[in-house]
Amino acid sequence: MSSSLAGVRTRVRIPLAFADGYSTTAQAVTFDGLEDGREHVALILGDPDLAAATPLVRLHSECLTGDVFGSARCDCGPQLRESVERITETGGVLLYLRQEGRDIGLYNKLDAYALQDDGLDTYQANTALGFDEDARDYTAAAQMLTALGVGELDLLTNNPDKVRQLTALGVTVRDTVPTGVHANPGNLRYLRAKAEHTGHTIRLVG
């Protein structure tokens, strides 16, 4: 599997501020020529030398409910907040990918939530709606990294599929760095499904 070339479109500095008071500055990078035609964005944090160092990289799939509204049904918002700070400390890139609901879209994700309320887990709900368990493809992510000059990285993730896909796309993953476990009563069943069904490196108590 290989990815075609994409190019950098715009670079602009953006101050970031989170509800808990943490703040930093990111260089936001947009792209031309991404294979899926979507408006993914890279946030370069901590002023790394991407050509000389092995940066810490996070592939974060968009989650409107978690990232913006603080939904406790998932761990996406806390993972995003954690990732920004950890990448800022070491230097690297956060790729914010427009892949809502494991790439089934916002409305379908909310339909899946309704099925989860009836007893299905997050993967069963997606397949019940006629989708793959996880429809995300990381070809555009590999294109973005190539355009930024990143050929080798440490990947901040609990998801082994991200490592598999990036490796198949020609990106060298030197090391996998797990995120924290952001468990709460509202997302415990969701986290357990990720750990048991798709091998996410999540240690749950109880």
Side-chain angles (χ1 to χ4, degrees):
M1 188 185 299
S2 63
S3 56
S4 58
L5 294 178
V8 170
R9 170 177 170 160
T10 304
R11 295 175 181 261
V12 61
R13 296 191 75 79
I14 298 176
L16 306 180
F18 291 82
D20 62 0
Y22 177 75
S23 63
T24 188
T25 300
Q27 183 184 83
V29 184
T30 63
F31 301 86
D32 288 316
L34 295 179
E35 185 169 293
D36 60 11
R38 300 184 192 180
E39 293 185 332
H40 308 297
V41 63
L43 298 180
I44 299 176
L45 298 156
D47 297 319
D49 183 350
L50 296 179
T54 302
L56 183 63
V57 173
R58 166 78 180 165
L59 276 56
H60 188 90
S61 296
E62 178 182 42
C63 176
L64 178 71
T65 50
D67 296 343
V68 177
F69 297 117
S71 169
R73 290 190 69 134
C74 64
D75 56 347
C76 301
Q79 280 191 324
L80 178 62
R81 165 64 182 82
E82 174 195 1
S83 298
V84 168
E85 183 169 3
R86 291 180 66 178
I87 295 172
T88 298
E89 290 173 351
T90 63
V93 185
L94 187 143
L95 301 186
Y96 196 82
L97 305 172
R98 312 302 297 274
Q99 300 173 326
E100 184 79 48
R102 297 197 184 91
D103 213 15
I104 67 174
L106 177 61
Y107 278 18
N108 288 319
K109 182 179 84 170
L110 296 177
D111 289 343
Y113 277 1
L115 293 177
Q116 291 169 44
D117 288 344
D118 290 335
L120 299 185
D121 71 25
T122 181
Y123 300 103
Q124 293 167 341
N126 279 17
T127 57
L129 291 171
F131 299 103
D132 291 338
E133 290 181 345
D134 189 336
R136 290 175 293 182
D137 180 284
Y138 298 109
T139 301
Q143 291 180 298
M144 295 162 76
L145 292 167
T146 298
L148 292 173
V150 177
E152 180 178 270
L153 55 85
D154 293 337
L155 191 63
L156 183 60
T157 187
N158 300 324
N159 184 353
D161 185 53
K162 292 180 180 180
V163 179
R164 286 191 293 265
Q165 286 203 41
L166 285 183
T167 300
L169 288 160
V171 177
T172 300
V173 180
R174 184 183 70 172
D175 194 15
T176 302
V177 182
T179 71
V181 177
H182 302 284
N184 66 69
N187 71 15
L188 191 58
R189 186 164 164 262
Y190 166 79
L191 295 180
R192 184 168 286 113
K194 291 205 296 185
E196 295 176 354
H197 191 78
T198 50
H200 283 57
T201 54
I202 301 171
R203 292 181 178 272
L204 296 173
V205 178

